[in-house]
Amino acid sequence: MRTILHFIDGVPVDGGAGRQPVFDPNLGRPQAEVVLGDPATVAAAVASARAAQPAWAALNPQRRARVMFEFKRLIEAEIDELARLLASEHGKVVSDAKGDIQRGLDVVEFVCGAPHLLKGEHTVGAGPGIDVYSMRQPLGVCAGITPFNFPAMIPLWMLAPAIAVGNAFVLKPSERDPSVPVRLAELLLEAGAPKGVLNVVQGDKTVVDALVDHPDVKAVSFVGSSDIAQYVYARGAAAGKRMQCMGGAKNHGVVMPDADLDQAVNDILGAAYGSAGERCMALPVVVPVGERTATALRDRLVDAISGLRVGVSTDPEAHYGPVVSAAHKARVESYIQMGVDEGAELVVDGRGFRLQGHEEGYFLGPTLFDRVTPQMRSYQEEIFGPVLQIVRAESLQEAVGLASRHAYGNGVAIFTCDGDAAREFATDVEVGMVGVNVPIPVPVSYHSFGGWKRSGFGDLNQYGMDGIRFYTRTKTVTQRWPTSQRPAADQSFVIPTMA
Ligand code: NAD
């Protein structure tokens, strides 16, 4: 059986605290095993990164950008193989896996502009003979800890900006789908990054704690579930580190009476059930405004759901594949039962779905609940599966209140033809990313990604200019050169002013 290793100092490395199986969710059986690191593995990875970082940072930014251009080219050249590998460990369909890689590539493309992005500010003549300029300097060694659901995109969100601005990086990918991150590290080396600039340490909590605690790790980016995001954030912040920790989500899609209902149903279906609902920007809650909208929406959803095809990752016709693990399948099923017990109306039940020839795979049919209320635990918590909940509202204000009061605040969408309503919604709703007739409003790579409330801990978001800011610190120089044309400054014990 294939063993997935760490990647440290330019070579695969074995060893650590043991091994764990990596499953094929389509078949429900192990296809490989991954080594689990320990504090010694982390120490080796950080030492390698620390040794590599100064020379990498000393390169001019254009030369680092050239490595990023080549990295992008190499990923593009094997995107089909990468997508198949990714799908075989995650379970998402291959076309969706390609999208996962492409959204990461967009960030690589953005950071190819590193020379421009790193330019500081400059003021000539801020005072008599005084010029002021600022520069962005890398932090040193940074670390990233990533979830299972985007094994290419999220590592690239982090490592691309971190490395392009002159840091070395240690990545701890999800132990459930660890192969693609290792391949990315190999490709970056092939693209011309010196060994040690990107190291990958496989593992679980032991590795995460060791990375966050390591004194040479200056900043940590985390994406995963909220309780762990908050724990990692608190642990790193207490040690004085720069932290950005993204958490879970429960995104609402508000459907106004004037919405183009056919388009909205199309959009909601893809956003709720695509990737088996295992996206932090999925749309697991839909809020029709008014009873007539609710009835029309529900009827169309039921119709559309009956046309969904659940299949293996390699089935080009499948809309979505299995969920990631047996434990996760059981968890989603337990939330469906919870919804029933809490009194929600189970309109379509996805439990008991079996795919012929893949009876052991972790497949779930699409589930639809109606008459879900904010008091229900199954509404308050993240399910992260192919389950859509209808929560009926009487007004736009009530819908805004629902999304705003929810503990999570990652994404939200409104479907309407009324610009005024959309504007009011976008302004008032307490959520970090808003879509107007856009079901999955993941910002493009030159904007930044981040949620509010329990969906994000820390101040700076992922990628875009926030990513550049997170992985650099600003130094500001105020300078005056001796000149024969100006008398020497008087001695002064007063705070200097430029007045
Ligand atoms: P997870 O929280 O279980 O794992 C995330 C990472 O933390 C993994 O690398 C894992 O090894 C590590 N980890 C697990 N337990 C830990 C512990 N006790 N201490 C320290 N580290 C630990 O998340 P997951 O199941 O891999 O991913 C799904 C979750 O990620 C969902 O909640 C989803 O909403 C969220 N997510 C959020 C975003 C976002 O940007 N907000 C994006 C993608 C996924």
Side-chain angles (χ1 to χ4, degrees):
M1 191 177 283
R2 192 165 59 96
T3 304
I4 302 149
L5 301 173
H6 313 293
F7 190 80
I8 299 174
D9 216 36
V11 288
V13 172
D14 201 344
R19 284 163 190 229
Q20 180 175 308
V22 175
F23 287 82
D24 179 344
N26 294 289
L27 299 171
R29 55 174 187 249
Q31 56 163 320
E33 56 179 10
V34 60
V35 294
L36 300 175
D38 61 11
T41 329
V42 170
V46 174
S48 153
R50 195 173 168 200
Q53 194 266 336
W56 177 245
L59 286 182
N60 74 51
Q62 200 175 351
R63 291 186 59 188
R64 289 198 302 268
R66 277 186 204 135
V67 173
M68 287 296 158
F69 274 114
E70 181 61 4
F71 185 39
K72 175 174 175 286
R73 194 189 68 76
L74 291 173
I75 296 173
E76 280 167 343
E78 65 176 70
I79 194 165
D80 290 334
E81 295 83 341
L82 284 168
R84 275 196 296 276
L85 180 60
L86 192 161
S88 78
E89 292 181 356
H90 176 285
K92 63 177 76 175
V93 293
V94 171
S95 52
D96 195 30
K98 261 194 199 174
D100 181 335
I101 300 164
Q102 184 56 52
R103 288 305 295 240
L105 273 173
D106 291 351
V107 177
V108 178
E109 186 175 59
F110 172 69
V111 304
C112 287
H116 176 69
L117 298 169
L118 283 169
K119 280 193 301 192
E121 296 171 327
H122 197 132
T123 301
V124 176
I130 292 178
D131 302 332
V132 178
Y133 69 93
S134 64
M135 60 184 110
R136 293 187 183 282
Q137 294 186 320
L139 305 174
V141 178
C142 303
I145 297 148
T146 54
F148 82 85
N149 68 325
F150 281 100
M153 177 182 84
I154 295 179
L156 289 169
W157 279 3
M158 299 174 179
L159 69 89
I163 290 173
V165 301
N167 298 288
F169 199 80
V170 181
L171 173 69
K172 205 300 281 174
S174 171
E175 58 276 42
R176 285 182 266 180
D177 42 19
S179 291
V180 168
V182 173
R183 186 66 193 135
L184 292 177
E186 290 169 352
L187 291 177
L188 187 69
L189 188 74
E190 198 180 324
K195 63 182 184 162
V197 164
L198 174 58
N199 294 322
V200 179
V201 180
Q202 311 288 1
D204 52 20
K205 175 175 167 51
T206 309
V207 168
V208 173
D209 287 351
L211 268 175
V212 174
D213 293 348
H214 197 297
D216 288 339
V217 173
K218 302 300 179 197
V220 179
S221 181
F222 173 96
V223 177
S225 51
S226 290
D227 287 349
I228 300 173
Q230 188 168 16
Y231 157 77
V232 169
Y233 177 78
R235 191 167 177 133
K241 301 194 180 197
R242 192 174 285 200
M243 305 296 291
Q244 59 172 195
C245 299
M246 275 61 192
K250 190 93 180 193
N251 306 325
H252 294 49
V254 175
V255 182
M256 296 296 286
D258 67 350
D260 174 342
L261 221 49
D262 289 334
Q263 183 64 50
V265 166
N266 262 340
D267 289 347
I268 291 164
L269 216 64
Y273 299 114
S275 199
E278 292 171 322
R279 291 184 186 136
C280 69
M281 289 295 275
L283 214 51
V285 176
V286 66
V287 186
V289 172
E291 281 303 306
R292 279 178 56 186
T293 314
T295 309
L297 180 72
R298 172 183 159 151
D299 289 350
R300 287 179 202 221
L301 279 172
V302 171
D303 228 35
I305 286 169
S306 67
L308 282 181
R309 179 176 168 107
V310 184
V312 291
S313 303
T314 47
D315 175 356
E317 305 293 316
H319 293 108
Y320 72 87
V323 298
V324 71
S325 66
H328 191 56
K329 181 179 170 183
R331 184 172 177 272
V332 174
E333 285 172 336
S334 77
Y335 272 109
I336 297 172
Q337 189 54 46
M338 185 191 293
V340 173
D341 296 343
E342 288 176 320
E345 184 190 346
L346 183 58
V347 185
V348 181
D349 188 353
R351 292 172 296 181
F353 176 87
R354 294 268 173 281
L355 189 67
Q356 213 182 356
H358 291 79
E359 285 74 10
E360 303 305 313
Y362 311 135
F363 294 93
L364 276 163
T367 291
L368 178 68
F369 276 107
D370 194 4
R371 302 191 186 278
V372 174
T373 66
Q375 293 71 35
M376 295 177 181
R377 212 181 118 195
S378 58
Y379 164 77
Q380 292 159 0
E381 297 181 5
E382 181 183 43
I383 299 176
F384 220 56
V387 180
L388 177 60
Q389 298 170 304
I390 300 175
V391 183
R392 297 174 176 229
E394 278 171 18
S395 65
L396 173 60
Q397 289 67 32
E398 190 186 339
V400 171
L402 278 169
S404 294
R405 279 192 300 274
H406 203 284
Y408 295 111
N410 216 35
V412 72
I414 185 168
F415 299 91
T416 182
C417 293
D418 179 346
D420 190 43
R423 193 165 173 274
E424 179 184 330
F425 179 81
T427 307
D428 291 349
V429 74
E430 291 188 34
V431 173
M433 292 171 281
V434 181
V436 175
N437 298 313
V438 170
I440 306 182
V442 175
V444 292
S445 63
Y446 38 97
H447 286 260
S448 296
F449 180 106
W452 289 10
K453 300 180 283 182
R454 286 191 64 69
S455 297
F457 303 89
D459 306 312
L460 290 170
N461 288 338
Q462 300 277 350
Y463 65 80
M465 275 317 291
D466 263 14
I468 303 299
R469 288 185 197 104
F470 182 75
Y471 291 111
T472 53
R473 46 187 179 174
T474 305
K475 183 180 282 175
T476 307
V477 179
T478 303
Q479 69 179 11
R480 176 170 62 191
W481 292 97
T483 164
S484 55
Q485 289 153 22
R486 200 177 47 249
D490 291 338
Q491 194 179 55
S492 172
F493 295 91
V494 177
I495 176 84
T497 70
M498 300 296 178

